[in-house]
């Protein structure tokens, strides 16, 4: 596999396609104007008719000849006979021949000029073409309505129709085939068995391709068989402009994509120096562009964004779409292997007068890192990472306005945070909650550095027996803070159903047949674990798995449920969620700590409104199991 720098790979890809005559802008096709939303114009759209097509009244009132109104005033009112000098007219109706002004009905007084005739009396003269929409006021025949290479909006459709068009010539949509490969892949909805993986990539790529202006079709899954993959690709390249082959792009014994592309056409490159996304393959078969897309979802997403979306834009005659960027401060150090350009997904929120970014999971298969991401941070190939508090530029993946309305929650993990986020979006759709799990101490430090609005914490001070307050007084002495309870919860050992290893106390962790899963340093759970070990005089080195860590209670529970570990310290709620057993160790208090300034923010007020008053949120919390909400929303400390 190659390792071509990203800029060089892009140049090589588009230069080769241009040389092969595959990069030309697509021709046009006529579509119904009413159904042309989001299509790209293939030629200028000029008005066939004027709009309005005739002089029409802009008001309800009377059509008159403006020169007949001269001299009208409050002291010298003018009377105009109906219908000889004045004709009643409704908004939008044609102006009768010979008339050239409209007086609003509110400005006339209907009188009887004789026994038979009626007239209007006016006290103000009318200006020429007053309250008249003249021919071509909006659109003049032959006027340019839309230029070429313009993405059609709803208002553009209205203007084209008003200008006399029933059809518009738009760029032909590029046709894209998506071929998922892999004997382990199954269609969504098929019951899973060990070793099988749901094909989620096909639908994701189809959505990305369609949103770019092309038309994507998903083919049936093809198993890892060279001849079958070759047959599917051979069929697809005959009828599509671009073929995306999912997976099989690496260098394993069942990775056939590069072989298929080389046998049927030309392979331009195999391997780009980016992370995630290195195993990308690019080539052509006949007049069809072909890409071997990595099977990991994050790798697939990034390579489509970097190489395929720009290709579709060129085919549609569009310039590269600029991505909005913002300056931000990184909340914690991000290490990166030197030699590869890395794309790190981050959560972003504005705290005070600056944007703060917190890195998310970095694995190529961590799809939820894309779901939760607000922006992308690019770490250059020759950099070893980014230090905490460093200023960086981020490429936004969500509108900036959404980020401005995001509550940044950094600190200890609790299952109620996801529930709270959902209730916040339900009751206050304009606000979001972004939570990053760095442990209780990390949350308090984030408050100290003004890198978060709120922090979840459950730190027990052994000397006083108090939760959180001693740590606030020690680490936040100069801050005006408030501490609000969310829940009380039980911490203990999460074990598999039936407790097959018969774990009962902290001493059992030293047994040779027990594998433990730990939490990261700085978390309240890690401090509780170490406290229990210290009381029994047990060094961490005696426990298998002590140095293996996870970042959430659910991750610990998942490790136990999957058999990766026999036990781990976590909350009862996580054990209940995955159908596991639980051995209680301690009841603890989980609070939010925040500055008084953050407490006064409207979006934070909305969050605490739910915590304190939303009965459904409280019921949902109780139904999860393992929680005591007796002090939920209560201020436990302020200074």
């Amino acid at each position: 596999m190659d390792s071509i720098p990203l800029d060089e790979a892009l140049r090589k890809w588009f230069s080769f396609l241009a040389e092969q005559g595959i990069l030309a802008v697509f021709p046009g096709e006529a579509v119904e104007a009413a159904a042309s939303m989001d299509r790209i114009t293939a030629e200028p759209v000029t008005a066939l008719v004027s709009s309005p097509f005739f002089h029409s009244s802009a008001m309800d009132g009377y059509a008159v000849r403006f020169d007949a109104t001269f001299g009208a005033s409050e002291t010298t009112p003018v009377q105009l006979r109906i219908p000889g000098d004045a004709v009643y007219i409704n908004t939008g109706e044609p102006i009768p021949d010979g008339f050239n002004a409209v007086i609003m009905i509110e400005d006339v007084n209907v009188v009887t000029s004789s026994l038979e005739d009626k007239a209007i009396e006016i006290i103000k003269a009318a200006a020429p073409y007053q309250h008249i929409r003249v021919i071509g006021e909006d659109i003049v025949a032959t006027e340019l309505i839309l230029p070429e290479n313009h993405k059609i909006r709803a208002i553009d459709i209205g203007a084209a129709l008003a200008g006399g068009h029933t059809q518009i010539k738009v760029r032909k949509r590029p046709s894209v085939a998506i071929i998922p490969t892999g004997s382990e892949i199954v269609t969504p909805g098929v019951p899973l068995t060990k070793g099988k993986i749901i094909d989620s990539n096909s639908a994701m790529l189809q959505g990305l391709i369609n949103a770019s202006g092309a038309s994507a079709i998903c083919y049936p899954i093809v198993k890892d068989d060279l001849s079958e993959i070759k047959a599917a690709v051979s069929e697809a390249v005959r009828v599509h402009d671009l073929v995306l082959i999912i997976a099989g792009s690496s260098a394993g014994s069942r990775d056939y994509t590069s072989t298929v592309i080389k046998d049927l056409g030309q392979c331009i490159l195999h391997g780009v120096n980016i992370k995630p996304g290195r195993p990308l393959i690019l080539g052509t078969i006949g007049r069809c562009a072909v890409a071997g897309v990595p099977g990991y979802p994050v790798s697939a997403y990034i390579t489509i964004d970097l190489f395929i979306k720009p290709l579709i834009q060129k085919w549609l005659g569009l310039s590269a779409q600029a991505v909005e960027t913002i300056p931000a401060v990184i909340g914690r150090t991000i290490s990166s292997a030197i030699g590869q350009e890395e794309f790190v997904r981050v959560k972003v929120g504005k705290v005070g007068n600056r944007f703060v970014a917190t890195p998310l999971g970095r694995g190529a298969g961590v799809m939820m890192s894309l779901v939760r991401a607000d922006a992308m941070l690019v770490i250059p190939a020759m950099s070893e990472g980014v230090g905490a508090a460093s200023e960086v530029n981020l490429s936004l993946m969500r509108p900036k306005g959404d980020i401005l309305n995001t509550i940044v929650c950094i600190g200890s993990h609790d299952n109620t945070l996801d529930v709270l986020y959902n209730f916040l979006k339900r009751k206050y759709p304009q606000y979001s909650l972004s939570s990053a799990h760095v442990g209780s101490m990390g949350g308090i430090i984030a408050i100290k550095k003004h890198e978060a609005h709120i922090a979840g914490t459950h730190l027990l001070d052994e000397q006083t027996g108090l939760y959180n307050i001693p740590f606030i007084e020690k680490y936040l002495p100069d801050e005006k803070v408030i501490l609000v309870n969310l829940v009380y919860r039980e911490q203990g050992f999460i074990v598999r159903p039936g407790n097959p290893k018969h774990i009962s106390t902290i001493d059992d962790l030293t047994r040779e047949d027990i594998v433990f899963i730990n939490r990261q340093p700085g978390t309240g759970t890690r401090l509780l674990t170490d406290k229990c070990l210290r009381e029994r005089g047990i060094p961490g080195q005696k426990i298998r798995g002590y140095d293996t860590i996870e970042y959430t209670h659910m991750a610990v529970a998942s490790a136990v449920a999957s058999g990766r570990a026999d036990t781990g310290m976590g909350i009862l709620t996580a054990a209940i969620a995955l159908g596991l057993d639980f051995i209680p160790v301690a009841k603890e208090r989980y609070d939010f700590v925040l500055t008084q300034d953050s407490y006064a923010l409207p979006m934070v007020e909305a969050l605490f409104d739910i915590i304190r008053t939303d009965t459904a949120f409280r019921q949902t919390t109780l139904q999860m199991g393992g929680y005591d909400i007796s002090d939920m929303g209560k201020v436990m400390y302020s200074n």
Side-chain angles (χ1 to χ4, degrees):
M1 195 185 301
D2 301 322
S3 192
I4 300 173
L6 176 59
D7 289 345
E8 183 183 337
L10 286 166
R11 284 195 299 270
K12 190 172 183 179
W13 170 233
F14 289 113
S15 296
F16 184 82
L17 293 178
E19 291 169 3
Q20 300 298 309
I22 301 176
L23 205 56
V25 176
F26 274 31
E29 61 180 2
V31 300
E32 294 296 317
S36 63
M37 185 75 176
D38 291 333
R39 298 296 296 271
I40 310 301
T41 54
E43 62 184 18
V45 178
T46 56
L48 302 177
V49 297
S50 294
S51 176
F53 186 63
F54 52 84
H55 296 325
S56 63
S57 177
M59 300 286 178
D60 293 338
Y62 286 86
V64 300
R65 285 177 284 273
F66 75 87
D67 54 1
T69 68
F70 289 168
S73 70
E74 290 187 8
T75 57
T76 59
V78 170
Q79 288 190 355
L80 302 174
R81 293 177 297 107
I82 301 174
D85 300 321
V87 177
Y88 182 79
I89 192 168
N90 289 309
T91 301
E93 290 183 344
I95 301 297
D97 292 341
F99 292 84
N100 50 24
V102 171
I103 300 175
M104 291 191 299
I105 195 168
E106 296 92 336
D107 294 336
V108 304
N109 182 30
V110 179
V111 297
T112 302
S113 60
S114 67
L115 293 176
E116 297 84 15
D117 298 330
K118 285 188 176 181
I120 62 169
E121 186 177 76
I122 59 174
I123 59 174
K124 184 179 179 182
Y129 288 90
Q130 169 183 291
H131 301 315
I132 290 178
R133 296 193 68 215
V134 297
I135 293 172
E137 177 187 81
D138 187 7
I139 300 171
V140 179
T142 74
E143 179 183 356
L144 178 67
I145 298 174
L146 302 173
E148 187 175 344
N149 293 337
H150 173 82
K151 188 174 182 178
I152 298 173
R153 305 165 299 169
I155 190 61
D156 299 329
I157 294 174
L161 292 170
H165 289 274
T166 58
Q167 291 190 325
I168 300 177
K169 198 168 186 181
V170 298
R171 298 277 175 218
K172 174 182 171 289
R173 289 187 190 274
S175 177
V176 182
I178 299 171
I179 303 176
T181 71
S183 301
E184 76 281 12
I185 305 299
V186 296
T187 303
V190 172
L192 287 176
T193 57
K194 190 173 183 179
K196 296 299 181 182
I197 302 171
I198 296 170
D199 175 25
S200 58
N201 279 339
S202 293
M204 178 183 73
L205 297 194
Q206 185 178 37
L208 289 172
I209 296 301
N210 289 343
S212 299
S215 178
I217 296 174
C218 294
Y219 275 52
I221 296 168
V222 182
K223 67 181 182 181
D224 288 318
D225 180 277
L226 179 61
S227 61
E228 291 190 23
I229 297 173
K230 189 178 291 187
V233 172
S234 297
E235 176 191 342
V237 297
R238 286 197 296 268
V239 294
H240 296 284
D241 304 301
L242 169 66
V243 172
L244 304 177
I245 308 166
I246 302 176
S249 62
S250 194
S253 60
R254 295 190 300 170
D255 291 323
Y256 298 120
T257 300
S258 63
T259 302
V260 169
I261 295 174
K262 289 174 183 175
D263 288 352
L264 298 177
Q266 300 180 72
C267 183
I268 302 167
L269 61 86
H270 184 187
V272 183
N273 194 28
I274 59 175
K275 177 183 178 180
R278 186 187 172 201
L280 175 70
I281 305 171
L282 298 172
T284 59
I285 298 175
R287 300 282 298 170
C288 182
V290 183
V293 180
Y296 281 124
V298 181
S299 298
Y301 178 95
I302 288 174
T303 52
I304 292 295
D305 194 59
L306 292 174
F307 289 88
I308 304 305
K309 285 174 65 176
L311 172 58
I312 293 171
Q313 289 165 358
K314 289 179 182 293
W315 279 342
L316 293 173
L318 298 174
S319 59
Q321 296 177 357
V323 177
E324 186 176 9
T325 61
I326 59 170
V329 173
I330 289 294
R332 67 173 188 260
T333 298
I334 305 174
S335 299
S336 183
I338 198 166
Q340 268 190 307
E341 192 166 336
E342 184 173 5
F343 292 77
V344 180
R345 288 77 69 197
V346 297
K347 292 292 296 179
V348 188
K350 191 171 187 182
V351 183
N353 59 0
R354 61 181 183 169
F355 290 99
V356 178
T358 304
L360 293 163
R362 294 162 69 183
V366 186
M367 192 182 306
M368 286 304 295
S369 68
L370 287 173
V371 174
R372 296 189 174 110
D374 298 317
M376 195 78 75
L377 168 65
V378 180
I379 300 179
M382 300 313 294
S383 170
E384 292 184 275
V386 180
S390 298
E391 292 190 0
V392 296
N393 280 321
L394 304 176
S395 299
L396 293 183
M397 299 169 65
R398 292 173 59 204
K400 186 176 179 180
D402 289 354
I403 292 171
L404 293 174
N405 285 324
T406 296
I407 302 167
V408 179
C409 175
I410 295 179
S412 173
H413 169 255
D414 188 82
N415 289 28
T416 54
L417 293 177
D418 286 343
V419 178
L420 185 56
Y421 174 36
N422 189 65
F423 273 84
L424 181 68
K425 290 300 289 183
R426 177 190 297 176
K427 191 169 183 179
Y428 300 97
Q430 71 272 34
Y431 298 137
S432 293
L433 175 66
S434 165
S435 57
H437 314 307
V438 299
S440 297
M441 189 58 70
I444 288 177
I445 298 304
I447 297 296
K448 181 180 179 69
K449 293 181 176 179
H450 300 281
E451 294 174 352
H453 296 113
I454 61 177
T457 176
H458 58 106
L459 294 170
L460 174 64
D461 180 62
E462 294 185 40
Q463 291 184 344
T464 63
L466 297 175
Y467 273 97
N468 302 319
I469 296 173
F471 295 89
I472 291 173
E473 293 175 338
K474 179 179 180 180
Y475 292 101
L476 303 173
D478 301 322
E479 295 285 350
K480 289 289 186 182
V481 299
I482 187 167
L483 187 70
V484 183
N485 177 251
L486 183 63
V487 291
Y488 293 91
R489 60 190 195 178
E490 286 195 64
Q491 284 264 29
F493 295 118
I494 298 173
V495 296
R496 286 195 286 277
N499 193 9
K501 293 290 183 76
H502 304 291
I503 298 166
S504 60
T505 69
I506 194 79
D507 298 284
D508 290 320
L509 301 187
T510 62
R511 286 164 33 193
E512 286 294 323
D513 64 330
I514 300 297
V515 175
F516 183 68
I517 187 81
N518 212 345
R519 289 292 304 279
Q520 77 270 32
T523 62
T525 303
R526 177 66 168 260
L527 291 177
L528 176 62
T529 301
D530 290 345
K531 172 180 176 291
C532 293
L533 292 175
R534 201 164 45 248
E535 289 173 348
R536 298 296 298 168
I538 301 172
Q541 295 85 346
K542 279 197 170 184
I543 299 173
R544 296 175 63 201
Y546 179 84
D547 293 325
T548 304
I549 63 172
E550 284 292 354
Y551 289 86
T552 68
H553 295 286
M554 289 304 297
V556 169
S558 178
V560 174
S562 67
R564 188 158 61 92
D566 296 304
T567 188
M569 187 78 80
I571 59 174
L572 173 57
T573 309
I576 293 172
L578 295 187
L580 300 170
D581 281 355
F582 183 81
I583 301 159
V585 172
K587 185 176 181 179
E588 63 179 14
R589 199 179 82 206
Y590 182 93
D591 298 330
F592 283 142
V593 59
L594 64 164
T595 66
Q596 297 282 2
D597 288 342
S598 291
Y599 192 58
L601 293 173
M603 58 185 176
V604 176
E605 288 179 345
L607 188 78
F608 282 108
D609 172 61
I610 291 170
I611 291 171
R612 291 179 173 135
T613 68
D614 196 306
T615 303
F617 169 66
R618 291 174 168 238
Q619 289 176 342
T620 302
T621 300
L622 289 174
Q623 289 168 1
M624 293 166 67
Y627 289 121
D628 174 352
I629 63 170
S630 57
D631 284 336
M632 179 178 276
K634 180 180 177 180
V635 175
M636 312 303 288
Y637 171 87
S638 66
N639 61 6

